[in-house]
Amino acid sequence: MTSTDHLLALIRDTPDVADLLHSSFEFGIFRNEHGEAVRAASGASLEAIAGDWAGGTFFLCHDEDGRRPVMYASSEGQGGLIADDLKQALEIITGLAVWQDCLKFSGGGRLEAMEAAAVLLERDRVSDEPAIVEHREQVAAALSLVRVPVSELVARLRSAVMRTEPDHLVVTESGDEYESLFGEFVPTDNPGWR
C-alpha cells in the first residue's frame, strides 16, 4: 500500500476526519465524480478522489514514474496541478483559507498577489469561523500532516500550478483544455479588502 493509498484509507476509516475535511475544507471523499470525463494532457489517467461544494473535483494522476500528483478541476472549466502528492495537497487545502480564491486573486500567478490574498482570506475565514483553527489541528494530528507556514503553502501551490503545462492540463474527451487555475484578479479588486 502506497502512502497515498494509506492516507485515503485513513480518511475513509475515520468518519470524524472525513466529516471535518468535507465541512470545513471542502474536500468530500464521498463525492468523487466530475461533471464530465476528463484526462491529463499527458494521457495519464485520472482517479477522482474527492469533490468540493461547488462541483469541483480532486484527482490523483497516474504518472509513468509511479508518482501520484494531485490535480483539481473546477465545475467552471479551470484545472491543473495543485500538489506533488496527496499529503502536500491536504496541507494546502487545510492550511490555506479558501485556497481556490488565493489563486483567483493571483493576478495571473504573481506570488506577491497570492501572499496578500492569503493573508486577507485567512483573516476573513478566522473571523467568520473561529473554529477553523481547531479543525486544522484536528485534521493535521489525525493524518500526520505538517503545519506549514502560509507563505510556504502559497509558494508550493503557485509552484505546482506553474508546472501544470504541458502534462497536467485537464482535457475533455473532445480535446478541449481547461483554463489555468490562476485568475487575473488581484486583492484590490475585491471591494471588501480595500
Side-chain angles (χ1 to χ4, degrees), residues 36-41 77 79 169-179:
E36 63 183 333
V38 294
R39 61 177 170 78
L169 288 169
V170 178
V171 181
T172 66
E173 283 186 324
S174 61
D176 295 327
E177 295 178 352
Y178 274 41
E179 296 175 5

Side-chain angles (χ1 to χ4, degrees), residues 151-172:
S151 61
E152 185 177 333
L153 292 173
V154 168
R156 281 186 192 178
L157 179 60
R158 180 180 180 271
S159 175
V161 175
M162 295 283 287
R163 294 191 318 272
T164 292
E165 293 187 39
D167 293 338
H168 295 99
L169 288 169
V170 178
V171 181
T172 66

Side-chain angles (χ1 to χ4, degrees), residues 115-190:
E115 289 173 337
V119 168
L120 294 164
L121 288 161
E122 178 68 12
R123 179 198 70 195
D124 292 351
R125 182 78 188 266
V126 171
S127 174
D128 293 343
E129 187 184 348
I132 194 68
V133 175
E134 181 183 337
H135 294 169
R136 282 184 181 136
E137 295 301 327
Q138 290 173 325
V139 170
L143 301 179
S144 299
L145 302 178
V146 177
R147 297 294 298 132
V148 179
V150 168
S151 61
E152 185 177 333
L153 292 173
V154 168
R156 281 186 192 178
L157 179 60
R158 180 180 180 271
S159 175
V161 175
M162 295 283 287
R163 294 191 318 272
T164 292
E165 293 187 39
D167 293 338
H168 295 99
L169 288 169
V170 178
V171 181
T172 66
E173 283 186 324
S174 61
D176 295 327
E177 295 178 352
Y178 274 41
E179 296 175 5
S180 172
L181 288 169
F182 289 130
E184 294 302 320
F185 294 112
V186 294
T188 54
D189 291 330
N190 183 333

Side-chain angles (χ1 to χ4, degrees), residues 39-151:
R39 61 177 170 78
S42 66
S45 63
L46 298 177
E47 175 188 350
I49 57 168
D52 67 15
W53 301 345
T57 307
F58 298 90
F59 297 93
L60 287 176
C61 184
H62 297 272
D63 280 357
E64 290 180 11
D65 63 4
R67 289 178 49 242
R68 305 287 304 274
V70 177
M71 294 173 60
Y72 173 78
S74 78
S75 60
E76 291 83 34
Q78 297 87 28
L81 184 68
I82 63 167
D84 291 332
D85 60 35
L86 182 58
K87 183 176 184 286
Q88 286 185 17
L90 289 170
E91 289 170 354
I92 288 169
I93 291 163
T94 61
L96 278 180
V98 199
W99 64 273
Q100 296 98 324
D101 283 350
C102 187
L103 292 169
K104 177 181 178 180
F105 290 96
S106 70
R110 294 187 355 239
L111 182 61
E112 64 278 0
M114 291 179 70
E115 289 173 337
V119 168
L120 294 164
L121 288 161
E122 178 68 12
R123 179 198 70 195
D124 292 351
R125 182 78 188 266
V126 171
S127 174
D128 293 343
E129 187 184 348
I132 194 68
V133 175
E134 181 183 337
H135 294 169
R136 282 184 181 136
E137 295 301 327
Q138 290 173 325
V139 170
L143 301 179
S144 299
L145 302 178
V146 177
R147 297 294 298 132
V148 179
V150 168
S151 61

